[in-house]
Amino acid sequence: MHGEAVNLGTGEPAEGAPLLQVGQLVQQIATRLRDEFAAVRVEGEIADFSHYRGRHMYFKLKDEESLIQCAMFSTANRRLAFTPADGQRVIARGQVQAYTPRSSYQLIVSDMQETGVGKLLKEFEALKRKLKDEGLFDEERKRPIPRLPGCIGLVSSRESAAARDVVTVLRKRFPALPVVLYHTQVQGAGAAEQVIAALQAVIKHGACDLVILARGGGDLEDLATFNDERLARAIADFPLPLISGVGHETDHTIADFVSDRRAATPSQAAEIATPDASDWLRRANRAASSIRQAIASRLSADQRSLAQLRGRLDRAGPPVRLMQCGQRLDELHERLRSAASRLPQPDAQLLAALSGRLTANSPQAIAGKARGRLEWLAPRLAAAARRPLDGASQRIKIASSTLRGLSPQNTLDRGYAIVTGPDGKILVDAARAEKGSDIQARLARGTLLARVQDRKIPSH
């Protein structure tokens, strides 16, 4: 049948088909479309949206493969519960009709609803406004993060990269700090309930004084668990400080706003939760050096003060006073004797009175009084000299105890080891140790020499 015209719909020759005008053909197509697609539901993304003079809406619905022209007249679009815009994903209900002047077809939309990310975003903003109005985001109700927690609770999935990142950073910054993982599902149906149960387990366990809530990044649907209102209220009522390390830097969840501190990533949450042990050790060493200098300076000042007190004691102490009193007594005795020689012989009563005064002011009496005062002052002077030294000694003992608590030797005594490679540098990554290379493991007492037979390198 080469070269013969055929009817492509039936395979029959076209010569027997009725002859139609263009308008008739277009009208038959329009009728067929209207009858076969009288009620359809189509899901797609809005593109090229326009609201003509605030009345009729014209736009396209598209997916990865195709698009279709759409029209939604004012009688229908005034009932919409949202404002359409390009990029929104919707479900449109309507009828396919032909536009006969151009021989084209379009979907006449009678109703339209948001779906997918658009709906989630709307729910997210509504919940955010609601909880903010209730005061759950207020800074006044948020608890401060402890400078050095005794134990950190990690609420995350044990299989997640986020949990591994948090543990890696914690071990690097403060290896001696204990961490307890509370496993939970972080995505999918029932995940919010599991996270709430994990937080309740932290409280019941009673071992932690700081909690990190961690999950990797994702889109709004992936992070839906952390936009759950029940979880938000559980975090708001949580009695311990909580750091939210959910998603990447650009991700924001309701859990971020309710928590006591928001971190841009799980790794940053670990950095916020712990101090840098090496920095603390440097600061402790500087403090110890300052204490030693302060003690030496104080001792030097006290020694100078003591020397001055001794000099004053030598210049104005009992021996000098006694010598001065003896000299004065000699002068008075000489004056008395001279006066007595010029006076008539005194009677016995006057002589006894003068003798008593002379005895009371004799060098022996004055020396006895001075000796008693010297014995009273000597122990007080010694105690006053010892007090600064005792206080300085006590501060040295406290500083030494603090330094010993921060020393690497304490960590080794608890069973840890410091492993160095062939180059003498500390190994923190198994990938740096080649098979067959010699390594050294320093223990609390002694050193082990070993050779690498195999390596287990975690996947990232």
Side-chain angles (χ1 to χ4, degrees):
M1 296 179 62
H2 179 70
E4 183 177 358
V6 297
N7 185 323
L8 296 179
T10 62
E12 299 176 354
E15 286 78 357
L19 180 62
L20 302 174
Q21 299 296 319
V22 173
Q24 293 175 320
L25 176 60
V26 172
Q27 190 61 44
Q28 288 185 17
I29 294 173
T31 302
R32 180 71 63 84
L33 287 173
R34 187 173 57 250
D35 292 342
E36 293 191 12
F37 301 98
V40 296
R41 295 173 70 242
V42 182
E43 182 177 0
E45 180 182 321
I46 295 177
D48 299 334
F49 177 82
S50 66
H51 197 175
Y52 184 70
R53 294 184 178 179
R55 298 177 67 245
H56 308 318
M57 296 179 178
Y58 300 98
F59 54 93
K60 299 172 184 175
L61 281 182
K62 67 176 185 177
D63 57 16
E64 291 79 2
E65 298 178 353
S66 306
L67 58 81
I68 184 172
Q69 295 285 346
C70 301
M72 191 174 191
F73 300 119
S74 59
T75 54
N77 64 43
R78 65 168 60 104
R79 298 190 300 270
L80 283 176
F82 69 101
T83 302
D86 287 349
Q88 286 182 325
R89 193 164 185 85
V90 297
I91 296 177
R93 182 166 58 85
Q95 180 185 50
V96 178
Q97 293 184 5
Y99 184 61
T100 55
R102 290 202 300 265
S103 297
S104 62
Y105 63 91
Q106 60 184 354
L107 177 64
I108 305 301
V109 180
S110 60
D111 188 25
M112 190 161 56
Q113 295 177 341
E114 287 183 285
T115 186
V117 176
K119 182 179 180 182
L120 289 176
L121 183 60
K122 184 176 180 181
E123 293 173 350
F124 171 84
E125 293 296 340
L127 180 58
K128 180 180 175 182
R129 287 193 298 271
K130 176 182 177 181
L131 298 182
K132 183 178 181 180
D133 292 341
E134 293 182 20
L136 267 64
F137 300 169
D138 293 347
E139 291 296 327
E140 293 77 10
R141 56 160 293 278
K142 298 188 176 183
R143 290 164 290 270
I145 306 302
R147 292 187 61 189
L148 181 59
C151 178
I152 293 180
L154 174 58
V155 177
S156 185
S157 171
R158 67 169 65 96
E159 295 87 5
S160 67
R164 292 194 295 270
D165 291 344
V166 169
V167 173
T168 299
V169 174
L170 293 177
R171 290 287 178 260
K172 180 179 179 182
R173 289 176 62 82
F174 214 96
L177 183 63
V179 181
V180 181
L181 174 65
Y182 295 86
H183 172 69
T184 177
Q185 183 179 340
V186 294
Q187 183 175 343
E193 290 82 356
Q194 289 194 27
V195 175
I196 294 173
L199 293 175
Q200 292 172 346
V202 174
I203 301 173
K204 184 177 180 181
H205 187 198
C208 304
D209 47 13
L210 175 64
V211 171
I212 297 175
L213 182 61
R215 188 215 187 279
D219 57 25
L220 200 58
E221 292 180 336
D222 294 335
L223 301 177
T225 297
F226 300 92
N227 292 321
D228 185 273
E229 181 175 359
R230 295 165 299 174
L231 177 57
R233 296 190 182 279
I235 293 174
D237 296 335
F238 194 63
L240 301 176
L242 186 144
I243 302 173
S244 174
V246 177
H248 298 308
E249 188 168 356
T250 57
D251 297 326
H252 287 83
T253 66
I254 298 297
D256 292 335
F257 298 115
V258 182
S259 62
D260 299 302
R261 184 75 178 272
R262 184 249 175 187
T265 62
S267 296
Q268 189 188 65
E271 293 176 357
I272 294 173
T274 54
D276 189 344
S278 59
D279 180 61
W280 274 38
L281 186 58
R282 287 191 297 271
R283 291 166 59 188
N285 290 333
R286 289 196 298 268
S289 177
S290 299
I291 291 173
R292 287 192 293 269
Q293 292 176 1
I295 292 173
S297 177
R298 181 60 182 269
L299 289 175
S300 177
D302 289 344
Q303 287 173 351
R304 289 194 299 270
S305 178
L306 183 60
Q308 292 174 356
L309 290 174
R310 285 176 176 170
R312 290 174 60 186
L313 185 61
D314 291 339
R315 292 190 298 272
V320 175
R321 293 291 302 274
L322 184 61
M323 182 182 67
Q324 293 174 351
C325 290
Q327 185 178 357
R328 177 66 174 164
L329 181 62
D330 291 341
E331 292 176 356
L332 292 174
H333 187 268
E334 182 62 28
R335 288 172 61 185
L336 179 61
R337 190 165 61 86
S338 176
S341 64
R342 294 191 299 269
L343 292 175
Q345 187 67 26
D347 59 15
Q349 185 177 0
L350 178 60
L351 184 61
L354 292 174
S355 177
R357 289 174 59 186
L358 181 62
T359 303
N361 292 282
S362 67
Q364 291 83 0
I366 295 174
K369 293 179 182 179
R371 186 180 297 106
R373 181 166 178 78
L374 180 61
E375 291 174 353
W376 182 81
L377 288 175
R380 284 161 177 75
L381 180 61
R386 283 197 305 271
R387 275 196 294 272
L389 297 177
D390 292 342
S393 177
Q394 183 63 25
R395 288 192 293 275
I396 291 175
K397 291 180 181 179
I398 295 173
S400 299
S401 177
T402 303
L403 289 174
R404 286 194 298 272
L406 295 173
S407 70
Q409 184 62 41
N410 282 354
T411 303
L412 295 177
D413 290 340
R414 292 197 296 271
Y416 291 90
I418 299 176
V419 181
T420 56
D423 55 0
K425 295 182 178 179
I426 295 176
L427 286 175
V428 295
D429 188 350
R432 288 179 49 198
E434 300 293 338
K435 291 183 178 180
S437 61
D438 293 329
I439 61 175
Q440 293 185 5
R442 177 186 170 186
L443 307 179
R445 287 172 294 279
T447 301
L448 297 178
L449 305 180
R451 178 164 294 169
V452 178
Q453 295 182 349
D454 200 354
R455 303 178 300 177
K456 293 184 178 180
I457 302 175
S459 60
H460 296 286

